[in-house]
Amino acid sequence: MKLLRKDIEKDNAGQVTLVPEEPEDMWHTYNLVQVGDSLRASTIRKVQTESSTGSVGSSRVRTTLTLCVEAIDFDSQACQLRVRGTNLQENEYVKMGAYHTIELEPNRQFTLAKKQWDSVVLARIEQACDPAWSADVAAVVMQEGLAHVCLVTPSMTLTRAKVEVSIPRKRRGNCSQHDRALERFYEQVVQAVQRHIHFDVVKCVLVASPGFVREQFCDYMFQQAVKTDNKVLLENRSKFLQVHASSGHKYSLKEVLCDPTVASRLSDTKAAGEVKALDDFYKMLQHEPDRACYGLKHVEKANEATAIDTLLISDELFRHQEVAARSRYVRLVDSVKENAGTVRIFSSLHVSGEQLSQLTGVAAILRFPVPELSDQEDSSSEED
């Protein structure tokens, strides 16, 4: 994402002009645009024209519109963002108040204006425009006959390919069918890796599986690379890291990212930081439950006592339709930062963010136990 202009007044009203450069920038934009904002961007409009003879025809014209945002739709697989609203500035093609849907496009600038720019939204702009925040981790999570090729970006886990091949069981004295099917499966996974992983950006490729599948796959891949003189795979061999996973399903990626070997290799990425924070929370909940809490009321109570060491919060909560609810989460984040706490904002499209959402989307690791919280829990259990 490129920031072209930023005009924000002392009362936090103002506008920014941005250019989305990568598919993930659409995800950042989705988290910036809210209902009631003003969005100005280039778009295509179908207009009807009438000739001098009275015949009516239609044509598509490119024009620039300013919309009052009413609905936002994000397609996570295609990374496409559509914004629907009413026109605020009349032009020759679109009347004032007419409805239109803008599909934001890569490398085309847009201007977003808000009456109130809060700290969370401004921090996301800073994050999106920082080139260090890039998709530098790829993962191949596999088991016999099933593989997922994923890109682990700072904000989301993108499944780029799913490979499924039926593998017959080994028969006594005859393994040829099993071996041929397995070889066909490995070949399809290698093709998916070459098609979807850009080694000039990716720093590490995790190959995770139960048993010996990962070793057998890597052996096959690099033997084929030597045979075919595939320089891309051979030159990037050091980037492949083999780790254990319980299955070839996408959800196994969470346990892969928790692996200490992986964590040390990915120490600079936000994705690993999110997973570690969630893992620390679960450990605290298990061993010292007085120093972990979740749910907005409990977390706010802990914050009043300045007890929060690490706040875990889902970005989904900042997309709340009600301004009052959204402001409540922003105030919580600001307050924790003021009290020298750490704030981890989890992406709802990341495996760790999906898990946090199951815990109401907000949780906290505490510096010390807060007696009022255990009192609340006792009273609620008595009522049950």
Side-chain angles (χ1 to χ4, degrees), residues 81-97:
L81 181 64
R82 295 179 187 87
V83 180
R84 185 171 183 266
T86 51
N87 187 29
L88 292 173
Q89 294 179 5
E90 189 169 349
N91 68 15
E92 58 180 308
Y93 303 115
V94 188
K95 292 180 181 177
M96 189 89 157

Side-chain angles (χ1 to χ4, degrees), residues 152-209:
V152 185
T153 74
S155 299
M156 58 207 284
T157 306
L158 294 167
T159 303
R160 281 298 181 221
K162 181 181 180 181
V163 179
E164 278 186 288
V165 173
S166 179
I167 310 287
R169 288 187 178 182
K170 287 183 180 178
R171 292 183 180 178
R172 189 177 296 172
N174 183 12
C175 300
S176 58
Q177 279 189 314
H178 174 272
D179 293 344
R180 277 201 301 270
L182 204 56
E183 192 170 313
R184 193 166 67 250
F185 168 61
Y186 289 156
E187 180 55 36
Q188 288 185 28
V189 178
V190 171
Q191 288 174 7
V193 166
Q194 290 179 288
R195 194 178 305 119
H196 297 290
I197 296 177
H198 302 291
F199 289 98
D200 51 342
V201 176
V202 168
K203 294 177 185 173
C204 178
V205 183
L206 305 173
V207 183
S209 76

Side-chain angles (χ1 to χ4, degrees), residues 7 37 46 73 102 210 311 317-318:
D7 299 314
D37 291 350
K46 189 177 180 180
D73 177 48
I102 292 177
L311 176 70
L317 301 176
F318 301 111

Side-chain angles (χ1 to χ4, degrees), residues 31-32 34 112 114 117-126:
N31 283 282
L32 296 176
Q34 293 163 346
L112 181 65
K114 290 177 180 285
W117 287 88
D118 61 56
S119 60
V120 173
V121 175
L122 290 172
R124 184 168 282 272
I125 290 177
E126 194 175 319

Side-chain angles (χ1 to χ4, degrees), residues 100-118:
H100 184 77
T101 299
I102 292 177
E103 184 173 320
L104 291 176
E105 302 171 53
N107 301 309
R108 282 192 184 273
Q109 71 178 56
F110 66 88
T111 300
L112 181 65
K114 290 177 180 285
K115 293 175 183 175
Q116 180 76 28
W117 287 88
D118 61 56

Side-chain angles (χ1 to χ4, degrees), residues 328-348:
R328 190 175 172 184
Y329 293 117
V330 172
R331 283 198 303 273
L332 176 64
V333 167
D334 290 343
S335 178
V336 170
K337 286 180 178 176
E338 284 170 15
N339 294 327
T342 303
V343 176
R344 288 277 185 189
I345 298 178
F346 285 62
S347 167
S348 56

